[in-house]
Amino acid sequence: MGSCISRDARVKRPTSRGVRSGKAAKRARAEKKFVPLALVNARSLNKRTNVISHHLVTYNLDLLAVTETWLSAECGNSDLLNVCPAGYSAVHTARLGKRGGGVALIYRDSIRVDVVTSGFSCNSFEHMVALLRFNSISVRLVIVYRPPSQSSKCSEGQFISDFADFLQLLVVSTGKLLIVGDFNIHTDVVTNSTAVKLQSILQSFGLSQHVSGPTHLDGHTLDLVIARDSDRVITDCSVSDLICDHFAVHTFVKAHRPPRPRKKITYRELNRIDEDRFLADLLALPLFTSPASEISDLVSQYNSGLSLLLDAHAPVRTRVVTVRPANPWLTEEALAKRRAARACERRWRDRKKQGTALEIDRQLVRSIHKEKRKVLDREKAQFLNKEINEASSKKSLFKIVDSFLIKKPGLKLPRHSSLPELVERFSGHFIGKVVNIRSRLEAARGCPPAADSPLNVPPFSSFAEVTVAEIVILIKECPSKSSSLDPIPTSLLKKYAEYLAVPISAIVNLSLSLGVFPDDMKLAFVTPLLKKPTLCPDDLSNYRPVSLLSFLSKLVERVVCRQLANHLFKCDLYVPVQSAYRPHHSTETALLKVVNDLLVSIDNGDAAVLALLDQSAAFDTIDHSILLNRLNACFGVSGSVLSWFTSYLSCRFQSVSISGVTSVAVLLLYGVPQGSVLGPVLFTLYNSPIHSISLKHGVSDHFYADDEQIYASFPLVPDHSAQARAYSLVSNCVGETKRWMSDNLIQFNDQKSDALVCYSKSSRLKPTDIPLSLGEASISPSDAVRNLGVTLDTHLTMQKHIGKVCSSAFYHLRKIAKIRKHISRAAAAQLVSALVLSNIDYGNSLLAGLPDNRLYPLQKAQNAAARVVTGARRRDPMSRHLKDLHWLPISYRIDFKIAVLTWRCLNGCAPSYLSSLLHRRNLGGRTLRSSSSSASLTDLVPPSIHVKSYGRRAFSNYAPTLWNSLPGSIRSSPTLQRFRSALKTHLFRAAFNI
């Protein structure tokens, strides 16, 4: 029977067990970086007193977690103290109601231990929660014992359900989390269904199990050590001596904070600028009084004039700082309280040392510390609530939470003797990589391919002029990012946008009318960033170049990009299955189309093969002459517009910049600029002919920028001949695609391409395990692949994707929980909606039609989010709190997403590849293209009566069923805003039976 202590119990350290005290003990604890912990199953502690004591001393353990103590509540602590050698204490939780069971913790006296109530009890397992504090860190240690099913009369399914509820409370707790214990589950047996479910639950909550190897005489792994992935608290875990029929499990726990990084920063005191003087000096610049007529001179006036102005009003300052948690809430009042508290504490310590301290002195210290804490809490709350309410984007909310907890460490760099030498190494590496790829491609292709044949496309030969008012709107819509290439920070530029828009509009219009992109805007500063934090920083190939361009250059690009996109849309020149950088298109709409086709194929009794193709440095190797010819022949770009693109691509330079040190600028002979606005759009136009290759080979495809998906279905037959034919189609298509890429100087990456074979788990016939040829590589299809942020598995159960989403949700919930006491409920709800619910909602249209038990982990995550916002108790019914927050449950959130996409399809606000999946009954099955509100009243053609479980999940079948079930008053909503409002009200009433 589970048990817990009903109140917080502070375990005091005995002073008579030879423990070092004073500065020596403090220094010893500070120097200790790792705490050794052991987990043992005693099977009656009274019988193994000598064994336990010997184990503690032999291995010099700081912590020993014991399961199955068989000690009663009345004599447990006294018996435990007899086991403890000198310098150790113990706490115990007995099994209530019958003999056996019980868990205990034996610990060194130098560790502060608080046994805390978990607020959770159940019949399927016993537990104890202890809060450990050492070296300024806090670890929440949970000791678990699960009796075998036959002895506890609780099924394994009940334990899994109870343990999931227990974890829901634990994972959002502050401090590091460590769970140890005897679970009596054969986690080493991959076919054990309970072990699979346990692993799935751990993954959902962002936890990992660290024990490998048998921990029982029978050869199975029953004793587990579990920790958060993000905590990285476990440094080593191994199986040691035999105690009874279980082996001891030894673990080293990190017991120190990493050293605070130091970095050199440069800054300007922008908040001290006198606005009136700055504006007067701004309007007195030659940029306004005598603007140049030549575009290059005008750009030079803009850059030099604003740069000198900023230096005069906010000069650059430099200092070396230690990276600490940000404390922007420290007002003068808070600092004064802190100084007073420290002075009072010093006086008390001095008097204590002299033997003249009084009790009143100690009480005074406590009183002033209490006042200081009240002021700090108040200032933190005011600051955080203000920042959260004023946050304009999800990214800014991320920064607020991260800066409150701790600033990110500085840039990880390879070992180097000097920074100038390092930036040149990086510059040579980045340029050399592209040059080597181009050299191999040019050698392989032989003679250049023929130019694209001109198509009958309306010309796009001149740009439209932009007004000052349009430039003001565009400036304010742009992100507030700044680059060292900018003469003034973007935030300051936006503040004076009404004035600066006049010279900026002159620069833009001169550039567009002359067909010239100024040379001063063609330099990019590149910062090397590690692709993953776990990669070795000494290997330059583990870094990706992040390109930074000036704000003015990207502003000109935005004007051009809008006019180019308008031309492509009017002339219907987009590739229909390219979802990147287009209105109403997204990664989710692309995934929905692909998964819909896979589900329909499986529902028909077939299987499908999906190939995910990868390219190397795709943006960097594009040939300028091929791109300009394609823009002219295939997209009608001519005249001054073509001249502008020619100027834009030519004579571009790149320089690596780290901490203000830059490399020599290097000329870029090919590629579209990374970090630019136009670069990704030009890349999609450059790659557009690939779609015709897929059509030629009779396979389906879909694109999102440089991510290409090719898939084909095949019937399952005993001789697997259909599978071989489908593989051949995909392989031939990929082979021709690779040849096209080689001719067009794009590197196809065989090794990073992946494949997935999808089929029904209940299918009598299975696809055979044969490799698929993708280019030069022959790969075996994976069990699961990550595609545009969503993990797809062989049977499309979405289980792995749901687990990863839940893990991410609980990670962010834990961060929010750390600052929850400082923020209002409204601010907490805003944070949770932006950082947690947005992750849960991404890709949830792919979960339509899944059974409730599959969606249960997501509902658990949403319940935990509601609990963080409302402070609900564990036994409170969460439906009441979800209703109070006006949050739709998970299944209804999915229906909401599908219904909104359906309305978009009916009203011409969705990709054509989704609209073509839906058909009106009264139009004879023709594609829905109407934008009138009356058309939305028409029922959609319902799915066939022969549709099975997979088919019911497909968008082409699920959407009509859901749409037809909605009231006509909702379907007839003339605007998307009114439709969303009416739909949420309808689903909300259905979810909570209102």
Side-chain angles (χ1 to χ4, degrees):
M1 180 176 179
S3 62
C4 63
I5 298 176
S6 59
R7 61 184 178 85
D8 291 354
R10 174 67 55 82
V11 181
K12 297 183 179 180
R13 292 176 294 181
T15 57
S16 59
R17 291 184 176 266
V19 181
R20 287 175 293 183
S21 59
K23 293 183 178 179
K26 186 176 180 180
R27 184 166 54 252
R29 290 195 300 270
E31 291 174 354
K32 190 161 193 174
K33 295 187 175 182
F34 303 101
V35 172
L37 176 148
L39 166 67
V40 298
N41 184 296
R43 293 297 295 272
S44 181
L45 193 61
N46 285 328
K47 297 179 180 179
R48 293 177 174 81
T49 298
N50 293 332
V51 174
I52 296 295
S53 179
H54 176 73
H55 196 78
L56 279 164
V57 175
T58 302
Y59 290 96
N60 194 26
L61 295 175
D62 285 333
L63 298 164
L64 180 66
V66 186
T67 59
E68 283 202 89
T69 62
W70 283 63
L71 299 178
S72 64
E74 292 77 17
C75 60
N77 285 334
S78 60
D79 288 348
L80 270 174
L81 289 176
N82 293 331
V83 175
C84 298
Y88 288 86
S89 293
V91 288
H92 177 252
T93 297
R95 175 182 288 181
L96 300 181
K98 58 181 180 179
R99 57 195 295 271
V103 293
L105 175 66
I106 303 174
Y107 60 94
R108 199 181 292 275
D109 291 337
S110 58
I111 298 175
R112 178 181 169 185
V113 176
D114 295 324
V115 179
V116 297
T117 177
S118 66
F120 183 88
S121 62
C122 65
N123 295 325
S124 59
F125 66 94
E126 306 166 23
H127 71 279
M128 178 174 68
V129 182
L131 199 59
L132 315 178
R133 294 183 178 91
F134 34 68
N135 294 356
S136 301
I137 73 165
S138 173
V139 175
R140 192 173 298 267
L141 175 65
V142 183
I143 306 173
V144 173
Y145 173 63
R146 174 190 168 261
S149 300
Q150 60 271 21
S151 63
S152 66
K153 298 183 180 179
C154 285
S155 65
E156 292 179 337
Q158 181 63 45
F159 165 74
I160 291 295
S161 177
D162 290 342
F163 193 60
D165 291 340
F166 184 47
L167 289 180
Q168 184 180 335
L169 299 175
L170 285 178
V171 292
V172 295
S173 59
T174 57
K176 299 183 183 297
L177 177 63
L178 182 61
I179 304 172
V180 300
D182 178 7
F183 286 74
N184 274 307
I185 296 173
H186 295 175
T187 57
D188 55 299
V189 181
V190 294
T191 57
N192 187 308
S193 60
T194 306
V196 172
K197 291 176 182 177
L198 178 62
Q199 180 59 36
S200 177
I201 288 174
L202 296 181
Q203 181 186 9
S204 299
F205 287 101
L207 303 169
S208 292
Q209 200 284 116
H210 293 268
V211 178
S212 59
T215 64
H216 190 267
L217 280 175
D218 291 341
H220 293 294
T221 305
L222 308 182
D223 305 282
L224 309 180
V225 175
I226 300 167
R228 287 195 192 101
D229 297 332
S230 58
D231 285 346
R232 298 179 183 175
V233 70
I234 302 297
T235 60
D236 183 48
C237 188
S238 60
V239 179
S240 182
D241 298 350
L242 184 67
I243 301 297
C244 53
D245 56 344
H246 288 248
F247 295 94
V249 178
H250 281 232
T251 303
F252 281 93
V253 181
K254 281 186 181 179
H256 69 289
R257 291 182 182 272
R260 301 282 190 195
R262 292 178 62 82
K263 67 177 182 180
K264 185 178 181 181
I265 63 169
T266 57
Y267 63 97
R268 297 178 186 268
E269 295 177 333
L270 299 179
N271 57 338
R272 296 195 176 185
I273 291 178
D274 187 316
E275 296 183 9
D276 294 334
R277 285 184 52 225
F278 185 86
L279 179 58
D281 292 346
L282 174 66
L283 297 178
L285 290 175
L287 181 66
F288 291 90
T289 58
S290 55
S293 57
E294 295 291 331
I295 186 170
S296 58
D297 296 335
L298 189 59
V299 172
S300 178
Q301 281 184 335
Y302 175 88
N303 288 330
S304 60
L306 292 182
S307 180
L308 292 172
L309 180 66
L310 186 64
D311 287 338
H313 287 265
V316 174
R317 302 185 186 278
T318 305
R319 55 188 289 205
V320 177
V321 299
T322 300
V323 179
R324 302 179 184 277
N327 299 319
W329 54 83
L330 280 179
T331 60
E332 286 300 324
E333 181 185 2
L335 289 171
K337 287 289 183 183
R338 177 182 284 182
R339 287 192 292 267
R342 288 174 176 172
C344 186
E345 189 173 353
R346 282 195 300 270
R347 283 197 302 271
W348 176 67
R349 285 179 178 173
D350 290 341
R351 291 176 181 176
K352 188 177 178 182
K353 189 181 296 184
Q354 296 168 5
T356 60
L358 301 175
E359 179 62 23
I360 190 67
D361 295 325
R362 185 167 173 269
Q363 292 177 1
L364 186 61
V365 170
R366 286 189 172 185
S367 175
I368 199 166
H369 271 293
K370 191 174 181 180
E371 291 178 12
K372 180 195 73 172
R373 177 51 53 195
K374 281 185 179 180
V375 172
L376 283 174
D377 287 345
R378 186 189 70 220
E379 297 298 335
K380 285 180 182 179
Q382 290 178 355
F383 171 80
L384 274 174
N385 287 306
K386 178 176 178 292
E387 290 292 310
I388 292 170
N389 290 333
E390 294 177 355
S392 58
S393 65
K394 179 179 176 180
K395 186 175 181 180
S396 59
L397 288 173
F398 269 117
K399 288 183 177 180
I400 291 168
V401 176
D402 287 341
S403 65
F404 186 90
L405 300 176
I406 187 170
K407 288 183 180 179
K408 294 182 179 179
L411 176 68
K412 285 187 178 180
L413 297 174
R415 284 172 289 190
H416 56 279
S417 56
S418 68
L419 209 50
E421 176 265 337
L422 180 63
V423 294
E424 294 298 340
R425 276 173 54 200
F426 267 119
S427 180
H429 169 73
F430 291 142
I431 295 297
K433 176 183 176 182
V434 178
V435 169
N436 291 337
I437 292 175
R438 280 279 304 210
S439 300
R440 290 195 299 268
L441 290 171
E442 289 172 349
R445 77 169 181 173
C447 45
D452 294 327
S453 301
L455 302 178
N456 187 18
V457 178
F460 179 33
S461 56
S462 62
F463 291 109
E465 187 176 292
V466 292
T467 64
V468 173
E470 290 173 336
I471 291 295
V472 171
I473 295 172
L474 201 57
I475 289 174
K476 293 186 176 180
E477 287 178 350
C478 290
S480 297
K481 297 179 181 178
S482 294
S483 163
S484 54
L485 293 165
D486 294 323
I488 61 172
T490 305
S491 58
L492 203 59
L493 187 150
K494 287 187 173 184
K495 191 173 184 178
Y496 298 94
E498 287 77 7
Y499 305 97
L500 289 170
V502 176
I504 289 176
S505 61
I507 293 173
V508 172
N509 287 322
L510 274 174
S511 174
L512 300 185
S513 61
L514 297 174
V516 174
F517 190 77
D519 290 339
D520 287 352
M521 295 193 283
K522 294 181 181 180
L523 175 64
F525 279 166
V526 171
T527 301
L529 293 181
L530 271 177
K531 297 175 182 177
K532 293 181 181 179
T534 55
L535 295 176
C536 175
D538 291 326
D539 187 356
L540 298 189
S541 61
N542 290 333
Y543 290 82
R544 68 163 53 92
V546 177
S547 181
L548 298 175
L549 300 166
S550 69
F551 179 87
L552 185 58
S553 70
K554 290 196 285 188
L555 189 69
V556 177
E557 289 183 57
R558 287 182 191 279
V559 174
V560 172
C561 190
R562 287 189 175 189
Q563 297 191 26
L564 176 62
N566 189 41
H567 167 72
L568 296 174
F569 178 75
K570 283 183 177 179
C571 301
D572 196 20
L573 298 176
Y574 281 113
V575 172
V577 290
Q578 172 61 265
S579 293
Y581 319 112
R582 298 176 61 183
H584 311 307
H585 293 63
S586 66
T587 53
E588 186 162 357
T589 60
L591 286 165
L592 192 58
K593 173 63 168 76
V594 174
V595 172
N596 175 87
D597 294 348
L598 297 178
L599 289 170
V600 171
S601 296
I602 295 175
D603 198 69
N604 292 332
D606 297 338
V609 56
L610 170 67
L612 306 178
L613 308 186
D614 187 76
Q615 302 171 17
S616 296
F619 283 40
D620 298 326
T621 60
I622 285 177
D623 188 86
H624 292 165
S625 60
I626 295 177
L627 173 58
L628 292 170
N629 173 69
R630 191 157 294 148
L631 288 174
N632 176 250
C634 302
F635 301 100
V637 176
S638 59
S640 62
V641 177
L642 187 62
S643 299
W644 188 93
F645 279 108
T646 303
S647 174
Y648 171 77
L649 293 170
S650 62
C651 299
R652 300 195 71 96
F653 288 84
Q654 172 179 296
S655 176
V656 175
S657 175
I658 301 174
S659 300
V661 179
T662 59
S663 66
V664 175
V666 180
L667 178 65
L668 302 177
L669 300 176
Y670 18 73
V672 291
Q674 292 197 35
S676 64
V677 176
L678 272 173
V681 177
L682 293 176
F683 176 82
T684 62
L685 300 182
Y686 189 85
N687 259 9
S688 58
I690 296 179
H691 177 55
S692 60
I693 299 175
S694 302
L695 295 177
K696 172 184 172 182
H697 287 273
V699 297
S700 302
D701 62 345
H702 209 101
F703 302 85
Y704 193 89
D706 58 341
D707 290 310
E708 182 180 359
Q709 308 167 62
I710 295 177
Y711 54 101
S713 60
F714 55 89
L716 292 170
V717 293
D719 61 358
H720 304 296
S721 56
Q723 181 180 356
R725 285 194 297 271
Y727 274 33
S728 177
L729 283 176
V730 172
S731 296
N732 292 338
C733 178
V734 172
E736 186 170 344
T737 299
K738 181 181 178 181
R739 289 191 293 274
W740 183 93
M741 289 182 179
S742 179
D743 291 342
N744 286 267
L745 300 169
I746 297 177
Q747 176 70 50
F748 180 82
N749 195 334
D750 307 78
Q751 302 304 319
K752 287 191 177 180
S753 297
D754 209 343
L756 179 75
V757 175
C758 303
Y759 60 97
S760 173
K761 193 173 184 179
S762 60
S763 177
R764 184 175 57 87
L765 294 173
K766 313 288 184 186
T768 185
D769 187 15
I770 57 176
L772 174 66
S773 297
L774 296 179
E776 299 297 326
S778 181
I779 63 173
S780 297
S782 305
D783 295 330
V785 295
R786 187 166 175 81
N787 186 13
L788 299 179
V790 172
T791 302
L792 303 177
D793 56 272
T794 297
H795 304 301
L796 296 182
T797 63
M798 307 304 294
Q799 191 167 345
K800 291 188 176 181
H801 171 69
I802 290 172
K804 290 184 178 180
V805 169
C806 291
S807 176
S808 174
F810 282 110
Y811 169 76
H812 291 297
L813 277 177
R814 178 172 167 251
K815 294 205 297 185
I816 296 170
K818 288 183 178 181
I819 63 173
R820 176 63 183 90
K821 67 178 181 179
H822 300 297
I823 59 178
S824 65
R825 173 169 164 160
Q830 185 178 347
L831 276 180
V832 167
S833 296
L835 307 185
V836 179
L837 297 185
S838 61
N839 284 342
I840 292 176
D841 288 341
Y842 174 69
N844 65 348
S845 59
L846 307 179
L847 310 180
L850 286 175
D852 290 340
N853 63 343
R854 197 77 55 75
L855 300 175
Y856 181 68
L858 289 175
Q859 190 60 60
K860 282 282 187 184
Q862 188 189 36
N863 291 348
R867 184 172 283 110
V868 168
V869 174
T870 63
R873 293 175 296 182
R874 187 251 164 194
R875 294 189 178 278
D876 287 351
M878 291 312 300
S879 59
R880 176 168 62 86
H881 295 286
L882 293 176
K883 179 181 175 182
D884 188 36
L885 290 167
H886 216 68
W887 290 356
L888 290 172
I890 294 299
S891 59
Y892 290 90
R893 297 178 83 90
I894 295 170
D895 286 350
F896 181 85
K897 175 75 71 67
I898 294 293
V900 168
L901 284 171
T902 305
W903 188 93
R904 288 181 179 275
C905 289
L906 287 165
N907 291 273
C909 301
S912 58
Y913 54 75
L914 285 186
S915 299
S916 63
L917 298 176
L918 306 179
H919 306 279
R920 292 195 190 94
R921 187 189 300 277
N922 67 337
L923 293 181
R926 281 179 286 156
T927 304
L928 294 170
R929 292 297 183 116
S930 174
S931 61
S932 64
S933 60
S934 60
S936 64
L937 280 171
T938 308
D939 281 351
L940 301 180
V941 176
S944 168
I945 59 173
H946 301 295
V947 170
K948 297 182 280 293
S949 60
Y950 277 93
R952 282 193 291 270
R953 291 174 50 194
F955 178 78
S956 56
N957 289 321
Y958 192 90
T961 302
L962 176 63
W963 181 261
N964 294 343
S965 68
L966 297 177
S969 59
I970 297 177
R971 288 187 283 165
S972 62
S973 300
T975 64
L976 179 59
Q977 183 178 1
R978 289 178 60 180
F979 175 77
R980 289 170 63 94
S981 177
L983 174 65
K984 183 170 182 180
T985 301
H986 171 73
L987 294 177
F988 191 80
R989 289 173 176 170
F992 299 106
N993 297 318
I994 300 175

